[in-house]
């Protein structure tokens, strides 16, 4: 048995922190399913998140997708140097969601390299993240396009 402490998987870190960093998302039941450098997937249950006509409330669909920007940034960039924020996010509702939903997004390696270099040189770097939200049958219920920013601490 090793004396070194094992670093928890990124999804575990995100889920542990969500209650304190974004309590409203935690109360919705937003959960990180898979988080690794350049990729994140989240889910949220339909139970407790419905609206007046039996579909998932629009704000919940927005939230499960928006969380991806922070999750990817935490898994991809040096958190002791940088932190993420969302500057703008557009959501495109495609179909009513009547089941639990899954959202996912990714950043290609060349974009990660660009963001890292620019943030190190200028103290910040904007990047675009597109997410797809699907229901339990794989039907696309929403898509988002967000402008996120990676910022250097203290700058």
């Amino acid at each position: 048995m090793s004396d070194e402490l094992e670093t928890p998987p990124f999804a575990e870190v995100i889920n542990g922190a969500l209650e304190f960093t974004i309590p409203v998302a935690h109360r919705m039941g937003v959960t990180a399913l898979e988080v690794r450098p350049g990729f994140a997937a989240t889910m949220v249950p339909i139970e407790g998140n419905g609206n007046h006509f039996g579909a998932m409330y629009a704000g919940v669909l927005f939230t499960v997708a928006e969380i991806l920007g922070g999750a990817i940034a935490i898994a991809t960039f040096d958190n002791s140097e940088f932190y993420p924020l969302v500057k703008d996010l557009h959501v495109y509702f495609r179909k009513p969601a009547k089941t639990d939903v899954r959202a996912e997004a990714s950043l290609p390696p060349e974009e990660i390299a660009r963001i890292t270099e620019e943030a190190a040189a200028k103290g910040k770097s904007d990047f675009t993240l597109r997410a797809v939200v699907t229901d339990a049958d794989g039907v696309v219920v929403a898509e988002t396009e967000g402008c996120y920013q990676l910022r250097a601490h203290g700058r």
Side-chain angles (χ1 to χ4, degrees):
M1 185 144 119
S2 171
D3 289 336
E4 293 179 38
L5 290 176
E6 202 171 303
T7 303
F10 289 113
E12 188 178 318
V13 170
I14 299 297
N15 290 330
L18 207 52
E19 180 178 5
F20 306 104
T21 57
I22 310 172
V24 68
H26 175 75
R27 287 191 301 274
M28 287 175 190
V30 173
T31 304
L33 299 173
E34 183 181 353
V35 182
R36 63 180 186 271
F39 178 83
T42 53
M43 69 79 60
V44 69
I46 184 68
E47 186 176 338
N49 290 314
N51 62 17
H52 60 286
F53 63 93
M56 189 170 284
Y57 174 60
V60 175
L61 292 170
F62 174 98
T63 302
V64 73
E66 190 280 325
I67 293 290
L68 295 169
I72 285 178
I74 287 168
T76 306
F77 305 107
D78 183 347
N79 295 284
S80 68
E81 296 283 328
F82 305 106
Y83 65 94
L85 58 86
V86 63
K87 291 178 64 178
D88 191 22
L89 191 123
H90 298 267
V91 60
Y92 306 94
F93 300 108
R94 303 299 188 203
K95 302 246 183 213
K98 297 192 176 197
T99 67
D100 298 355
V101 299
R102 174 188 173 99
E104 63 179 60
S106 62
L107 281 176
E110 58 277 0
E111 180 66 351
I112 292 168
R114 182 199 67 77
I115 296 162
T116 302
E117 289 171 20
E118 185 174 68
K122 298 180 179 179
K124 60 186 174 181
S125 179
D126 289 353
F127 62 96
T128 299
L129 191 65
R130 290 173 184 83
V132 176
V133 183
T134 54
D135 69 8
D137 296 321
V139 174
V140 174
V141 296
E143 296 174 281
T144 63
E145 182 173 288
C147 178
Y148 291 82
Q149 187 174 81
L150 188 69
R151 284 198 180 175
H153 291 286
R155 287 173 94 180

